[in-house]
Amino acid sequence: MSPQATHDTKADHDFRMMVQIDMEMAAFHSNWMHCDYIATYLARTISHNRPDSVLFANVFSSALNELLEITFRGRHAGGTFACRISRQDSIDRVELTFTSTKDEQRFFEHAVARIRGGDAEADYMSSLSGDPGPSRDILLVELAVSYNAAVTIQAHDNDTITLIVDLPLGGLTH
């Protein structure tokens, strides 16, 4: 499976909002376990109508936890953090909006470009084999490869960015 580079902007209006959580960045960064707590809670909240809700919640929680950890590692002191989950048919969209430095924004832009570059799967497999120097953006590449996620980034004027990740997990069954 090759990763999708971007989400379908034409279908954006068809996504219906399911749940959103907002936190102060300082509170989010106060405890690494917030990543797991938030991911588990949100995954259980949105899994109720999937064919195998337990399997879906587990897989979605794993993917969301990776995204939250990427955000956590940024260590931005100020601002807020928002995680919004929307759904369209079998695709669940995660939108993470948070304060970002210009360097962090460039990091995410590079990661998205790396996914679009066509070598995402090779990069990811290389990182698994223990090749020296895997870059920090490999977690985002892993999401694209392992979950067939479409990943985009939106920069905002107020020093915030939004990572948009479409996860086509809705058809999971035993």
Side-chain angles (χ1 to χ4, degrees), residues 89-165:
D89 300 323
S90 65
I91 298 173
D92 289 284
R93 173 170 288 170
V94 177
E95 296 174 72
L96 295 176
T97 302
F98 52 94
T99 306
S100 175
T101 65
K102 292 296 180 194
D103 286 341
E104 196 72 7
Q105 181 179 337
R106 281 190 291 278
F107 161 77
F108 284 111
E109 289 169 347
H110 171 73
V112 170
R114 187 173 177 180
I115 292 166
R116 290 182 185 159
D119 293 331
E121 190 167 356
D123 288 350
Y124 176 62
M125 296 308 261
S126 177
S127 75
L128 290 177
S129 67
D131 287 353
S135 65
R136 186 177 147 231
D137 63 348
I138 204 66
L139 289 174
L140 205 52
V141 173
E142 176 187 17
L143 283 169
V145 172
S146 297
Y147 298 96
N148 199 30
V151 181
T152 57
I153 181 175
Q154 291 178 348
H156 307 285
D157 291 337
N158 60 352
D159 293 329
T160 62
I161 60 171
T162 300
L163 279 178
I164 303 167
V165 180

Side-chain angles (χ1 to χ4, degrees), residues 23-26 29 75-81 98-100 159-160:
M23 288 181 87
E24 292 294 323
M25 285 299 272
H29 285 133
R75 290 294 195 185
H76 308 289
T80 59
F81 161 82
F98 52 94
T99 306
S100 175
D159 293 329
T160 62

